Amino acid sequence: MARSDEPPAIAGTGAAAGAAVGGGGADGNGGTAPLGAVAGMDAGGASEAEPPRLLADSVADFSLEQGKLGWYYGYDDGAVENFTVMTRTSVITAFKPPTMDIWDCWVTEEPHWTQLFRLGGHPNGTDSSPPSKNVLERAVRRWISNFDGSVTISGEIAKIDAVVADDSNGVDASVYVDGTQLYTTFIGGQDGAGLSYVKTTTLHRGSTVDFVLDPHEGIDHHDLSRFTAVIARDEPTETE
């Protein structure tokens, strides 16, 4: 399917951007379907094919470029309206998978554990460990919609860093749509199997969908976790 690689406009860089919804809008940038396909008509009024079922995929779409395919990588202080985009990239620190791969990620400017990478992320907590400061930074992956209609949001949540027994008290994972919590769950510190989630909602062009990883009870030790998301448009019913 065709995707636009040009990032949508976003208000602010490295500053509160909770109101930044412009890029997923009318010009079709930052999403998976051109405006004509979304509208169902081309410039001459002729009917076009419907937009693709798949609108966004957090794993396949991951990029070290903010705004690509409608995705932004950032953090907040416990309130999604205070979403701030990250401005620096690095590699996952303090954890190496058995394969010894190096995982690219987005990180915050301060010495915090807040990170976002292809499969998930790591928040920072009020109970942290050196060199991080004790401050709440929830890891937030945001998608800005360029689609109007009913969608299904699905994915998986599980601990990745579960190798140190009893050294993590778990994480909280939530999905917000336009600032309202759609879904939330808790994953135990040693739960490497995790769970899957499926939720249905309605989006509009410019809607924000936030995938938030929160240190449970503010404690962030060994909180690197898997948190994936797929957003797909729903098929219309026969009565529609």
Side-chain angles (χ1 to χ4, degrees), residues 149-182:
S150 178
V151 302
T152 294
I153 303 173
S154 60
E156 299 175 344
I157 306 165
K159 281 300 299 303
I160 290 177
D161 189 353
V163 297
V164 182
D166 302 323
D167 228 15
S168 170
N169 72 331
V171 296
D172 299 304
S174 304
V175 181
Y176 292 80
V177 175
D178 291 327
T180 299
Q181 190 178 84
L182 176 69

Side-chain angles (χ1 to χ4, degrees), residues 6-11 20-24 27 29 72 144:
E6 181 180 348
I10 186 166
V21 298
D27 64 2
N29 290 337
Y72 291 88
I144 299 180

Side-chain angles (χ1 to χ4, degrees), residues 3-86:
R3 290 177 183 261
S4 170
D5 288 348
E6 181 180 348
I10 186 166
T13 299
V21 298
D27 64 2
N29 290 337
T32 60
L35 176 60
V38 172
M41 303 290 286
D42 64 15
S47 177
E48 288 189 353
E50 291 182 320
R53 288 292 307 280
L54 177 63
L55 299 172
D57 183 324
S58 67
V59 177
D61 295 349
F62 179 75
S63 173
L64 296 181
E65 176 185 338
Q66 291 282 10
K68 188 171 184 179
L69 302 177
W71 289 99
Y72 291 88
Y73 308 90
Y75 61 96
D76 68 27
D77 58 3
V80 289
E81 59 267 27
N82 295 330
F83 174 78
T84 301
V85 294
M86 295 174 178

Side-chain angles (χ1 to χ4, degrees), residues 105-236:
C105 69
W106 284 94
V107 295
T108 52
E109 293 293 338
E110 296 289 343
H112 298 155
W113 293 119
T114 321
Q115 303 169 336
L116 285 164
F117 69 115
R118 184 177 296 274
L119 292 178
H122 191 302
N124 199 84
T126 53
D127 183 337
S128 192
S129 56
S132 175
K133 298 178 180 179
N134 294 325
V135 61
L136 177 61
E137 282 186 356
R138 303 192 300 179
V140 182
R141 189 183 313 253
R142 169 172 288 189
W143 184 70
I144 299 180
S145 174
N146 69 342
F147 175 75
D148 285 307
S150 178
V151 302
T152 294
I153 303 173
S154 60
E156 299 175 344
I157 306 165
K159 281 300 299 303
I160 290 177
D161 189 353
V163 297
V164 182
D166 302 323
D167 228 15
S168 170
N169 72 331
V171 296
D172 299 304
S174 304
V175 181
Y176 292 80
V177 175
D178 291 327
T180 299
Q181 190 178 84
L182 176 69
Y183 172 78
T184 189
T185 192
F186 167 75
I187 298 294
Q190 302 304 305
D191 190 355
L195 52 76
S196 60
Y197 67 95
V198 180
K199 300 296 290 186
T200 299
T201 190
T202 298
L203 299 180
H204 305 284
R205 292 187 181 103
S207 286
T208 56
V209 186
D210 293 319
F211 302 90
V212 179
L213 198 60
D214 198 331
H216 186 63
E217 298 178 341
I219 304 171
D220 70 13
H221 306 301
H222 298 277
D223 271 358
L224 192 70
S225 301
R226 177 180 176 88
F227 191 2
T228 66
V230 170
I231 305 173
R233 69 171 178 85
D234 293 333
E235 291 283 14

